[in-house]
Amino acid sequence: MDSEWLSEMLDIEPITTRLPATDSRIVELEKHIGVELPSEYRDFLSRFGGSWVKGIAPISEPTPFGDATIESFYGFIDGKPRSCDLKFQSDLAQGAPVAIPIAGGAFGCQTFIIGDDNPTLG
């Protein structure tokens, strides 16, 4: 993944209260939600988790809100905005281990990783 290109295209800005997506934080989250995250998402989380997205983030599934539905990538947040914290959103969505929210957008829209009942999403 060319992270510099993606960061520029989406005009990504880290949230000031974001914490690094360390292996220990990711493992703790995986234990909490009961599923191992795909390696590609772990990499994405370490680069972009806990970030505001200012550019247009086209999505593949149609929504009533159009293409620009992603406003933040969830990550590990210390303090506010709690709404961008990955663990908080996973608890709120109650979809684990089948659906893990990874991004939030306009009017409460969320983007999820969808898996099945296997211990690894993907």
Side-chain angles (χ1 to χ4, degrees):
M1 171 192 322
D2 183 353
S3 60
E4 188 174 316
W5 171 83
L6 183 61
S7 182
E8 186 177 306
M9 181 183 97
L10 297 180
D11 194 11
I12 294 173
E13 177 185 333
I15 296 170
T16 57
T17 56
R18 106 181 190 173
L19 299 170
T22 61
D23 284 339
S24 61
R25 283 192 180 103
I26 292 172
V27 167
E28 182 182 322
L29 174 69
E30 290 174 333
K31 287 179 182 175
H32 180 76
I33 62 177
V35 66
E36 182 181 327
L37 298 171
S39 61
E40 295 87 359
Y41 179 62
R42 286 170 144 246
D43 183 49
F44 182 88
L45 184 59
S46 69
R47 294 177 183 187
F48 303 112
S51 296
W52 298 118
V53 180
K54 296 182 195 173
I56 293 182
I59 56 174
S60 60
E61 296 296 323
T63 76
F65 308 108
D67 288 338
T69 60
I70 296 175
E71 295 175 347
S72 66
F73 293 126
Y74 301 147
F76 299 101
I77 305 296
D78 182 25
K80 295 186 179 189
R82 190 170 179 204
S83 61
C84 295
D85 184 71
L86 188 53
K87 183 176 181 246
F88 175 78
Q89 287 297 335
S90 294
D91 288 346
L92 209 61
Q94 299 179 351
V98 177
I100 308 299
I102 61 168
F107 304 104
C109 284
Q110 290 187 316
T111 302
F112 291 82
I113 294 177
I114 305 294
D116 53 25
D117 291 327
N118 295 328
T120 301
L121 289 175

